[in-house]
Amino acid sequence: MLEPTETELLNPDAAGMERAVAIWRKGGLVAFPTETVYGLGADACIGAAVARIYQAKGRPSFNPLIVHVADLDTARHYADFSPQAEALARTFWPGPLSLVLPVNKDGGLSDLVTAGLDTVALRIPANALARDLLRAFGGAIAAPSANPSGRISPTRAAHVAEGLGGRIDAIIDGGNCTVGLESTILAPDHTPPALLRPGGLPVEAIEAALGQHLARSEDPETPVSPGQMTSHYAPTARVVLNVATRPQAALWLGFGPDCGGADLNLSPTGDMVEAAANLFGHLHRLDQLAEQRGISEIHVAPIPARGLGLAINDRLKRAAAARPSGGAART
Ligand code: AMP
Ligand code: MG
């Protein structure tokens, strides 16, 4: 259940920015304008803060989120840039282009931001207020559109207040968004570079800069299966759901206070935000442990299907449906 919150309306001045940054530092949620749409921002290195994004939006599944930074040096802290990625960043940032790059494991991003993948989508927004906020914050802000799941993206502070008022800590009002379309998402290190989502930066501009055509999913010559680039994380071990007692020959991922003897517990107190923040990290660790000990299954305790439990169960069901044979499970 979400705590009822009084959503603060902040002005785009020094005091408003200072307040927004202070809320981010405490793991809170602040909606802010970018040139594309208003984003619902949280510190991308705090798992519980990222979990609250899903909670506030009521998103029924964990998809990787786009990470926003102030400048290229900061971006390099979180991801590895190939020469081609670097050239695209220099040409199109700040702007509505998100680059999907290998994540830097030492950068400290929460694995809820990347949904357990080893890539991260990064961009520098072109909105001056967004960049000033990001510069003052200094780190990485995860931000999907600031609307309840299933509703249209907000291009004004008033839209955000209508949809998420009372569910987030603050909204900083920076007027209307100029692009109004979401960012174009590109995987520059794919051969050829692959368009994952069309958006505010025209494909032709990217193709002109690269001097080559992009692979697109609708293009029969160079098919990019969505599964190829946005593949969902699934453990190699077989995942079995709704196991309420300690299994004999499998690892056990617990939830709540009744899971004594669990190898790991998503949240011993049954806190959904904590469970969501731990989900991918715990699955990764149990998968490693299973390999080390020659165990082929991970059993998972029942998780209530309420609030963030919906998204947790959605992701666990996908992991359970994946084939249990080695790398082939990762589709
Ligand atoms: P949103 O933040 O809701 O506007 O959407 C983010 C989009 O970026 C989703 O469609 C994701 O699938 C996509 N995305 C984010 N990170 C990655 C990644 N690491 N690999 C592929 N796609 C990504
Ligand atoms: Mg959206």
Side-chain angles (χ1 to χ4, degrees):
M1 196 99 65
L2 196 63
E3 302 280 313
T5 313
E6 179 95 34
T7 299
E8 295 175 41
L9 286 175
L10 305 175
N11 291 318
D13 54 17
M17 288 178 48
E18 204 174 302
R19 179 74 189 133
V21 168
I23 292 170
W24 276 339
R25 291 204 197 291
K26 283 190 295 187
L29 303 183
V30 182
F32 66 105
T34 76
E35 79 280 28
T36 60
V37 300
Y38 271 74
L40 180 56
D43 187 336
C45 295
I46 303 179
V50 179
R52 284 189 201 104
I53 291 178
Y54 285 94
Q55 189 178 44
K57 284 179 66 84
R59 259 202 192 177
S61 62
F62 294 127
N63 301 317
L65 301 177
I66 294 170
V67 170
H68 297 68
V69 292
D71 50 50
L72 190 50
D73 278 342
T74 310
R76 283 200 202 90
H77 182 72
Y78 298 106
D80 299 332
F81 282 73
S82 65
Q84 176 129 291
E86 174 101 16
L88 285 164
R90 288 185 182 282
T91 306
F92 293 112
W93 283 358
L97 174 66
S98 297
L99 294 175
V100 173
L101 304 172
V103 73
N104 174 3
K105 294 267 190 284
D106 301 324
L109 289 178
S110 150
D111 48 25
L112 194 54
V113 164
T114 59
L117 300 177
D118 51 16
T119 54
V120 57
L122 275 176
R123 84 179 190 101
I124 302 177
N127 179 291
L129 175 59
R131 268 210 325 290
D132 288 347
L133 281 166
L134 290 165
R135 201 173 297 118
F137 178 69
I141 292 292
S145 56
N147 51 279
S149 182
R151 305 257 293 272
I152 58 168
S153 297
T155 54
R156 298 168 181 218
H159 298 160
V160 181
E162 276 162 36
L164 295 176
R167 302 176 65 82
I168 64 178
D169 297 291
I171 303 166
I172 187 160
D173 187 350
N176 292 1
C177 301
T178 52
V179 177
L181 271 180
E182 278 155 307
S183 63
T184 301
I185 303 180
L186 183 75
D189 301 329
H190 189 268
T191 312
L195 179 72
L196 301 184
R197 177 178 82 183
L201 180 68
V203 170
E204 293 76 10
I206 302 170
E207 292 183 331
L210 290 173
Q212 62 178 319
H213 284 289
L214 300 181
R216 308 185 201 188
S217 47
E218 73 274 14
D219 181 352
E221 303 272 296
T222 48
V224 184
S225 81
Q228 195 179 344
M229 296 310 301
T230 57
S231 71
H232 295 305
Y233 168 72
T236 303
R238 198 166 95 87
V239 174
V240 179
L241 304 182
N242 294 317
V243 179
T245 52
R246 170 137 191 72
Q248 291 297 316
L251 295 177
W252 194 30
L253 178 58
F255 173 84
D258 301 327
C259 292
D263 294 280
L264 284 176
N265 195 316
L266 287 170
S267 169
T269 60
D271 174 355
M272 288 295 187
V273 168
E274 184 184 19
N278 281 332
L279 179 63
F280 292 103
H282 279 17
L283 284 174
H284 272 291
R285 266 201 274 154
L286 288 180
D287 209 23
Q288 282 168 353
L289 212 58
E291 192 181 338
Q292 284 162 13
R293 298 191 193 161
I295 293 172
S296 60
E297 296 191 355
I298 299 169
H299 291 191
V300 185
I303 291 156
R306 63 177 158 79
L308 278 173
L310 292 178
I312 295 172
N313 279 305
D314 168 78
R315 185 41 53 114
L316 286 169
K317 271 181 217 146
R318 290 168 197 253
R323 273 176 299 140
S325 57
R330 297 177 199 284
T331 56

